[in-house]
Amino acid sequence: METVLSVNKLTKNFGKLCAVNQLDLEVKRGQVFGMLGPNGSGKTTTLGMLMGVINPTSGSFNWFGEQATHHTRKKIGAVLEHPIFYPYLSGQKNLELNAMIKEADPNNIAKVLDIVELSARKDDKYKTYSLGMKQRLAIASALVSDPIILILDEPTNGLDPMGIAEIREIIKRIAADGKTIILASHLLDEVQKVCTHFAVLKRGNLMHLGPVDDVGKGEEIVEIQAYHDDLGILLQEFVGSAIVKKEGTVFQVMMKEGFHSKDLNRFLFDRGIVASHLATRKKSLEKQFLEILADAK
C-alpha cells in the first residue's frame, strides 16, 4: 500500500514544554488512522505541524513521498478548529464561497452536501443550524476540493449522542469512498468503531502504534454458565484454560493462545454438559488504552 504520510522524529517544543517528542509514524492510503490520547497528549499540535499551521522544532514529515508544499496541501482537506462561516448565508452559499477560495469545482458541492446529509437544509441560513449540522458543514467544506486525505481534529467534540453517531456514520461513508482519514480523538469508542489503525500519544510521546483489529489479540475470555455442580473443576481440567475465575454464577475462563470458545464448548458437550450461557469477551480498546498509559508512568 502507498504511504501517504511519513513522519520522522517530529518534535515541537514550546519553551521548556515538549508538546511532541521524536514522533515516528506512517499512514497508508485508504486507512482511517486514529490519533488517540488524553487532553495535552500532543494530538492537535501534531496535526497543526502536518498542516503547516505550526512550525516543528525539529524532525520532518512527507506527504505522498515529498516535502509539504502548497501543491501537496491541496490534496488534503482538514477540520482543525471550528471554521468560520457567514451566519446569514445559507449552507450552500457558504460552500460556494469556500469552493471559490479553494479554486475547487463548485459541481462538488451537491455531492458533499449529500455525503454529510445536509441537502435538505442547504438553503437554510447557517445561524439556524444545530451544533451537529455546523460540524457536518465543516466536514463538507473540507471535502469540497475532493481531497485525497481528510484530517479531523476531535470531530465529535461537544456533540450529543445522536450528533456523535451521525458524524461516525459520515466518517465511515467517506472512508468507504476510498479517502484516507486521519482522526484525532480522546474518545476510545470513536476510534474503535471507525478507525482501521491507531496511535496512542501521551505527553507528546508515541506509546503504541498498530491496527485496531489487533486490540484484544492473545487474550480471549469466555464467560460460561451451566447447570453442573462440578463445573469449576471441569473448567480447570480443560487443556485450553489459563485462568478460571467465578463471578456470581458465571465462570470466566481466560483462554490459552490458540484456544477459543468453540473448543471449550465442545469439551463440555463431550461430557454431557450443555452451556446455558456462553459468550466471548476480548480485551476492549479502553482496557488496552489504560494499560498503555499506565505502563508509561
Side-chain angles (χ1 to χ4, degrees):
M1 288 173 67
E2 178 193 350
T3 299
V4 294
L5 171 65
S6 179
V7 177
N8 181 39
K9 304 286 184 250
L10 195 62
T11 300
K12 179 61 184 179
N13 298 322
F14 294 102
K16 292 182 179 179
L17 172 69
C18 182
V20 178
N21 183 33
Q22 302 274 309
L23 180 63
D24 290 321
L25 57 85
E26 278 192 349
V27 178
K28 305 284 189 181
R29 185 182 283 270
Q31 288 181 349
V32 182
F33 189 92
M35 294 179 64
L36 184 59
N39 292 331
S41 60
K43 305 184 302 293
T44 298
T45 301
T46 299
L47 295 185
M49 288 190 283
L50 296 177
M51 288 307 299
V53 178
I54 298 171
N55 292 324
T57 302
S58 62
S60 63
F61 62 91
N62 290 320
W63 289 109
F64 315 103
E66 56 186 90
Q67 284 194 325
T69 62
H70 177 66
H71 175 68
T72 57
R73 288 196 189 100
K74 287 180 102 172
K75 302 176 186 177
I76 304 163
V79 182
L80 295 187
E81 294 177 355
H82 291 294
I84 298 169
F85 291 110
Y86 291 95
Y88 292 96
L89 291 182
S90 67
Q92 171 81 24
K93 289 294 182 186
N94 269 295
L95 289 183
E96 287 173 4
L97 274 174
N98 196 273
M100 186 176 69
I101 291 165
K102 292 181 177 179
E103 299 178 348
D105 185 352
N107 291 323
N108 290 336
I109 292 172
K111 180 185 176 183
V112 299
L113 281 169
D114 189 49
I115 289 170
V116 301
E117 298 181 343
L118 282 177
S119 298
R121 296 289 304 273
K122 67 185 178 71
D123 295 321
D124 294 346
K125 290 180 180 177
Y126 177 76
K127 68 174 185 172
T128 68
Y129 285 7
S130 67
L131 184 60
M133 291 169 66
K134 288 175 177 176
Q135 187 65 349
R136 278 148 55 197
L137 189 70
I139 293 172
S141 166
L143 291 172
V144 81
S145 58
D146 193 24
I148 295 171
I149 297 172
L150 179 64
I151 294 179
L152 303 171
D153 186 15
E154 302 281 3
T156 59
N157 223 7
L159 299 184
D160 60 21
M162 183 176 285
I164 290 171
E166 287 170 348
I167 296 291
R168 188 181 288 148
E169 289 307 309
I170 287 166
I171 291 170
K172 289 179 181 177
R173 205 174 303 139
I174 294 166
D177 199 34
K179 295 200 185 298
T180 304
I181 299 172
I182 299 173
L183 165 76
S185 180
H186 65 277
L187 299 178
L188 303 158
D189 194 48
E190 186 169 65
V191 169
Q192 187 150 27
K193 286 183 175 171
V194 304
C195 294
T196 59
H197 295 73
F198 75 111
V200 177
L201 297 179
K202 182 179 181 182
R203 292 196 291 266
N205 294 293
L206 179 67
M207 309 311 308
H208 178 87
L209 184 65
V212 170
D213 282 350
D214 281 357
V215 172
K217 271 193 178 173
E219 184 174 314
E220 185 173 311
I221 296 170
V222 178
E223 286 183 356
I224 191 157
Q225 201 170 9
Y227 300 108
H228 194 280
D229 292 339
D230 297 323
L231 181 61
I233 296 169
L234 280 170
L235 293 174
Q236 295 279 8
E237 291 174 358
F238 173 54
V239 69
S241 296
I243 300 171
V244 178
K245 293 191 297 184
K246 189 176 183 183
E247 291 193 3
T249 60
V250 178
F251 283 93
Q252 292 191 339
V253 183
M254 185 182 292
M255 310 295 282
K256 292 177 182 174
E257 196 165 341
F259 289 91
H260 304 283
S261 59
K262 63 180 183 180
D263 305 312
L264 178 56
N265 198 26
R266 189 183 301 115
F267 169 81
L268 293 175
F269 188 78
D270 288 346
R271 283 152 186 79
I273 300 167
V274 178
S276 58
H277 170 78
L278 185 75
T280 300
R281 300 278 181 263
K282 290 200 173 185
K283 187 191 290 184
S284 67
L285 181 58
E286 179 178 26
K287 186 175 179 185
Q288 181 157 338
F289 177 67
L290 292 173
E291 285 176 4
I292 290 165
L293 295 185
D295 290 343
K297 285 179 181 177

